[in-house]
Amino acid sequence: MAILAKIVLSVIALNLHTTFLKQVPCIKKIFKIALTLLKPLVVWSIILTVAIELVLHWTLDDLPYKFLNHTSGPIRRLGQYSKNEVIPNNYIAIVGDSHAYGFGPWLYDNSWSWGQPDFATHHLLHAKTNLDIISFGYPGYGTFGSCLTSVSEYKFVSESSLWSELAEPKIILLFFYEGNDLINNLHEIEQRGFDISRISNDDAKDEIGILLKSEALKLYKDWSWFDHLASWNLFIGLFENYSHGFQTTQPVDHPTNIDHSRPRLEADDNQSKHTENIA
């Protein structure tokens, strides 16, 4: 029986091999046709991407907010129209939470605008002074996290090989909201290993400074090569936001510097019970 089974398997294998050899020319032909069709598609996709990228390098801050609202990554800062050029000169940098970002009724009323509406502090300052203003505002827990994001994003753009060098800001305007920023900042440094019982020690300032630099460097290393591309940021943002329209439940995603991958501490639970975070 074993010999018979081997003979049967050999015959089946031989038939399969013969059938495959007969199909090889057909498979090669299909592959050749597919390759012929894909070549121009790939080439034109690359050409269009490069062309769009070059155009955005000069006109990123001319896009309507309807599009800018969907951009992501550090490059979105260059798309802000509260400055005279894409790369600002002698600019003022605004750092803070949602108040610095511009969250509020003005933003909600203009989030789908085809124009460039004024809805935040940096827009009003630019309109009043004609100075270049960049907002590094980032909705989240407090000014500490916003400072981390600001440092990492500035470092990313200033060292980018695809963009002109971004100089240091002439003035930094730091927003601090007494309603929740203090408690939020304490929770943020505690989450990163700082013992808040030592906050009054003489060396606490230096330790927090070291913590700020190390955490900002971690954020900087998280950026990918694609984050240098304005076209990539724009198209991915548009795709992700409009794809939500095909979902039964639409998630509300706002920019945030909160690391949800970190385990929540007991202090965070107490904060959620006693302190409302409106940032």
Side-chain angles (χ1 to χ4, degrees), residues 80-135:
Q80 294 177 3
Y81 44 86
S82 54
K83 43 192 174 54
N84 298 307
E85 297 178 359
V86 175
I87 303 296
N89 296 305
N90 296 322
Y91 64 99
I92 298 175
I94 298 178
V95 179
D97 56 8
S98 56
H99 299 283
Y101 181 84
F103 265 180
W106 287 3
L107 171 59
Y108 305 145
D109 293 341
N110 293 284
S111 58
W112 295 97
S113 173
W114 283 99
Q116 294 185 329
D118 295 338
F119 62 83
T121 303
H122 50 289
H123 299 138
L124 302 180
L125 286 176
H126 175 66
K128 196 72 174 178
T129 64
N130 200 36
L131 296 174
D132 289 349
I133 316 288
I134 285 188
S135 172

Side-chain angles (χ1 to χ4, degrees), residues 230-274:
S231 56
W232 172 267
N233 282 274
L234 178 59
F235 294 149
I236 291 299
L238 288 170
F239 173 78
E240 290 179 350
N241 282 276
Y242 282 105
S243 64
H244 291 163
F246 298 97
Q247 300 177 3
T248 55
T249 303
Q250 296 187 18
V252 180
D253 293 332
H254 297 305
T256 177
N257 53 15
I258 303 172
D259 187 356
H260 295 285
S261 64
R262 295 177 180 270
R264 289 184 58 85
L265 302 177
E266 183 179 354
D268 298 322
D269 296 330
N270 293 334
Q271 180 191 11
S272 62
K273 294 176 183 178
H274 302 293

Side-chain angles (χ1 to χ4, degrees), residues 178-189:
E178 61 183 4
N180 63 356
D181 275 352
L182 180 58
I183 187 66
N184 288 341
N185 290 337
L186 290 175
H187 284 306
E188 287 184 358
I189 61 176

Side-chain angles (χ1 to χ4, degrees), residues 27-43:
I27 295 175
K28 287 184 177 180
K29 186 177 181 180
I30 294 174
F31 180 77
K32 186 176 181 180
I33 294 174
L35 190 62
T36 303
L37 294 175
L38 286 175
K39 274 185 178 180
L41 180 62
V42 172
V43 171

